[in-house]
Amino acid sequence: HGTPYVEAASPLHFTYVAAVISLLTSSSLHLPDMMSFSTSSKVCRASRGVQVRANSVDIREEARRRAPPSKSELFNAKFLPFEHVASGQDMALCQESYSLDEVIYRSASGGLLDVQHDMDALKIYGPEYWKALFDERVGKTSWPYGSGVWSKKEWILPGIDDEDIVSMFEGNTNLFWAERYGRECLGMTDLWVKQCGNTHTGSFKDLGMTVLVSQVNRIRKKGLKSLSAVGCASTGDTSAALSAYCASAGIPSIVFLPADKISLAQLVQPIANGSLVLSIDTDFDGCMKLIREVTAEFPIYLANSLNSLRIEGQKTAAIEILQQFDWQVPDWVIIPGGNLGNVYAFYKGFKQAKDLGLTDKLPRMVCAQAANANPLYKAYVNGYENFEPVKAQSTFASAIQIGDPVSIDRAILALQDCDGVVEEATEEELLDAAARADRTGMFNCPHTGVALAALTKLREKGVISPSDRTVVVSTAHGLKFSQTKVDYHASEIEGITSQYANPPTKVKDDFGAIADVLRKHIN
């Protein structure tokens, strides 16, 4: 008994992967997470030994009894081709649109889709109403509004029933005032770090996954489409979020991971949550190609950022930043970029707030890429005239080790509209930046190190001023990458000098020896 973990052979073949999935999802073999969930949930409740009074009401029942906001039935959203959105034309003029209940990932022309809201309906209420509503919901236990995502439900998935939402009260992550780091290392007075990793599975991916899995839950419960599972290709964090939310909802999940390219902490999360984990001898781009083929042949819902539902959840981090600054817009927001969906998501959140009158401008955004996986940076340097995918090289910022990003067109649109910048960081720069910031009280993942290194370069170039209010987006928790930190401080990473290494000091079992070390350290 245990969670299935399958290592795929090389060379890779779609038929091999498909055969594995077909075998493990067949009616004759039952994974633990594909059994009858009504039975499983009864067992779980019985095992807790909790006595529930007949007249008690849980927070979901309270949500069912609660009257919806006035005129909320007018709010709606649908899929439109991204190319139409990028053209700037009115949503009503688009001849191609799809219900969010449809299982579709591409437009008729093969391009990306985008979730677009009826902005005229949302404008029925003025900006002060939305500010007050969102502020009132923050941090409460009222279902589902206690979530940082679902507190903005009307701007996310307005048509979903509260009881179909799958949430772990994600979001509401803190803004860390990096006072000492800003002052001592960068000469800045208004530097902040948005700690998106301080959430259920340890990364910002929770924000998008609660939306996607909730919509899948709605589709399955209403019998709108036969979906057996949800699947994704991942560099680690996406699979952790998908497996957790699917486990919470009782929906089977399947994960394609590149073998030996993610941390053990990232690998164990989907295993622990009961996902079918396929460890495949390829990189992320290879996994992405395979999952797209598999989801085209099997009743498996695609959960990668090719699916624009996730963008709707991730954009709430931008709205949260505005809330945390009392609806004032920061000057700069720096975001690590790999598949580039998050760059577009932050832009979309800031733009929706501006379009609905809550703010009067957009922040300038910076996309920070690892130099070993930098296709957007290369395109930026060339004025975006020619984008060419690259073969991503190994980087400690493994979640952004992507050479052919799905959301490249989205990211370029976002950066051009906000007068944005793209910067890169070498392996040594990103590790040193993370370690240097850790010495001021943070505990950064390598991806945050990329963003901090980019900030350092932009300060040195004079692009970002000392007094500019700047937010660095920390996308994951440093605990997911503890081995990298151990190796850095032990100076065991080949080619890296570990400028800020702080290894433990070996001392004899002797007071005098300890005293000598302490005197030297204190002096």
Side-chain angles (χ1 to χ4, degrees):
H1 178 74
T3 300
Y5 173 82
V6 181
E7 240 178 88
S10 181
L12 293 173
H13 294 288
F14 165 74
T15 52
Y16 178 86
V17 176
V20 171
I21 292 175
S22 179
L23 176 66
L24 289 169
T25 59
S26 67
S27 58
S28 58
L29 290 175
H30 296 283
L31 296 175
D33 57 351
M34 291 185 180
M35 295 178 181
S36 168
F37 292 103
S38 60
T39 302
S40 299
S41 60
K42 291 175 183 176
V43 173
C44 290
R45 285 196 295 270
S47 66
R48 296 190 189 107
V50 178
Q51 297 297 318
V52 182
R53 296 193 308 273
N55 62 346
S56 66
V57 177
D58 64 25
I59 57 175
R60 283 187 185 273
E61 180 59 30
E62 289 177 349
R64 279 191 286 269
R65 297 179 182 183
R66 183 177 59 233
S70 175
K71 300 181 182 178
S72 61
E73 71 279 359
L74 299 177
F75 306 146
N76 66 89
K78 56 187 175 182
F79 289 127
L80 292 184
F82 173 74
E83 58 197 38
H84 178 87
V85 177
S87 72
Q89 297 181 56
D90 191 289
M91 184 173 78
L93 299 177
C94 185
Q95 300 299 308
E96 181 184 353
S97 65
Y98 306 93
S99 164
L100 300 186
D101 292 332
E102 292 189 55
V103 178
I104 187 168
Y105 314 112
R106 294 278 192 180
S107 68
S109 66
L112 294 174
L113 295 172
D114 199 54
V115 176
Q116 286 293 299
H117 293 260
D118 186 338
M119 298 296 282
D120 289 336
L122 292 173
K123 286 177 181 177
I124 291 173
Y125 293 106
E128 295 309 313
Y129 171 85
W130 292 118
K131 290 179 185 179
L133 180 67
F134 295 162
D135 288 345
E136 190 276 331
R137 290 171 172 173
V138 168
K140 304 291 178 64
T141 57
S142 177
W143 183 266
Y145 301 136
S147 158
V149 173
W150 296 108
S151 62
K152 289 89 177 168
K153 179 188 173 185
E154 294 82 4
W155 289 21
I156 310 303
L157 284 187
I160 194 169
D161 294 335
D162 289 347
E163 61 189 77
D164 292 336
I165 290 173
V166 182
S167 173
M168 300 180 187
F169 283 43
E170 53 287 311
N172 295 324
T173 55
N174 60 302
L175 262 178
F176 175 89
W177 182 28
E179 179 187 15
R180 183 183 166 204
Y181 180 74
R183 183 182 69 248
E184 295 182 6
C185 302
L186 299 169
M188 299 182 71
T189 58
D190 208 0
L191 176 62
W192 301 78
V193 179
K194 178 62 170 169
Q195 300 279 12
C196 291
N198 291 355
T199 185
H200 184 72
T201 72
S203 89
F204 77 95
K205 298 293 179 69
D206 290 358
L207 304 178
M209 208 56 74
T210 180
V211 175
L212 183 141
V213 175
S214 293
Q215 181 62 17
V216 171
N217 194 42
R218 166 187 164 87
I219 291 171
R220 283 165 56 96
K221 286 174 66 175
K222 296 188 180 303
L224 301 173
K225 183 80 174 179
S226 176
L227 293 173
S228 299
V230 186
C232 75
S234 177
T235 50
D237 291 333
T238 300
S239 63
L242 174 66
S243 60
Y245 282 85
C246 281
S248 178
I251 300 173
S253 58
I254 300 171
V255 171
F256 287 21
L257 294 175
D260 303 322
K261 292 182 175 66
I262 68 171
S263 73
L264 182 62
Q266 290 172 302
L267 175 63
V268 77
Q269 286 181 280
I271 290 174
N273 286 137
S275 287
L276 166 60
V277 178
L278 300 182
S279 178
I280 305 176
D281 186 18
T282 185
D283 57 11
F284 171 80
D285 296 317
C287 287
M288 188 67 213
K289 178 178 181 294
L290 284 166
I291 192 67
R292 287 168 65 177
E293 292 179 32
V294 166
T295 53
E297 294 293 329
F298 289 83
I300 298 170
Y301 195 81
L302 181 64
N304 283 96
S305 57
L306 180 67
N307 188 320
S308 57
L309 286 171
R310 279 176 47 195
I311 300 293
E312 294 306 291
Q314 290 166 208
K315 77 183 183 186
T316 60
I319 303 169
E320 268 186 21
I321 289 171
L322 297 174
Q323 279 185 280
Q324 289 166 316
F325 286 134
D326 197 22
W327 301 101
Q328 298 299 306
V329 180
D331 297 302
W332 293 92
V333 177
I334 305 176
I335 308 161
N339 221 11
L340 303 180
N342 218 21
V343 174
Y344 182 60
F346 271 80
Y347 164 76
K348 199 171 184 185
F350 289 128
K351 189 171 190 304
Q352 192 167 6
K354 178 177 177 290
D355 289 346
L356 290 172
L358 283 72
T359 59
D360 59 0
K361 65 177 182 177
L362 297 173
R364 295 185 69 184
M365 297 199 310
V366 177
C367 178
Q369 291 208 292
N372 283 1
N374 62 350
L376 179 63
Y377 174 76
K378 290 183 174 181
Y380 169 76
V381 170
N382 293 323
Y384 297 122
E385 289 186 8
N386 294 300
F387 169 77
E388 294 183 4
V390 301
K391 177 67 175 177
Q393 304 301 308
S394 178
T395 172
F396 286 99
S398 57
I400 58 175
Q401 186 179 314
I402 298 170
D404 190 9
V406 168
S407 294
I408 180 64
D409 293 333
R410 292 166 168 166
I412 291 175
L413 168 71
L415 291 166
Q416 288 181 326
D417 196 34
C418 72
D419 192 20
V421 175
V422 186
E423 189 54 86
E424 66 174 355
T426 66
E427 295 302 286
E428 186 151 33
E429 288 169 342
L430 71 90
L431 290 172
D432 282 344
R436 190 183 189 192
D438 285 353
R439 287 192 165 208
T440 65
M442 293 182 245
F443 195 71
N444 292 297
C445 67
H447 318 87
T448 308
V450 174
L452 292 169
L455 170 60
T456 300
K457 290 183 172 183
L458 293 173
R459 278 288 298 119
E460 290 171 349
K461 295 175 182 177
V463 176
I464 295 179
S465 300
S467 60
D468 284 351
R469 173 168 282 180
T470 303
V471 178
V472 171
V473 177
S474 178
T475 53
H477 202 290
L479 286 172
K480 286 191 169 191
F481 303 89
S482 55
Q483 189 58 51
T484 298
K485 291 186 179 292
V486 170
D487 293 343
Y488 178 90
H489 288 287
S491 298
E492 294 179 349
I493 302 176
E494 185 177 354
I496 303 297
T497 58
S498 297
Q499 181 180 354
Y500 300 98
N502 183 31
T505 302
K506 294 183 178 181
V507 189
K508 293 180 181 179
D509 182 13
D510 176 77
F511 174 80
I514 294 173
D516 288 343
V517 171
L518 292 177
R519 290 190 189 100
K520 181 179 179 181
H521 178 77
I522 292 171
N523 291 335

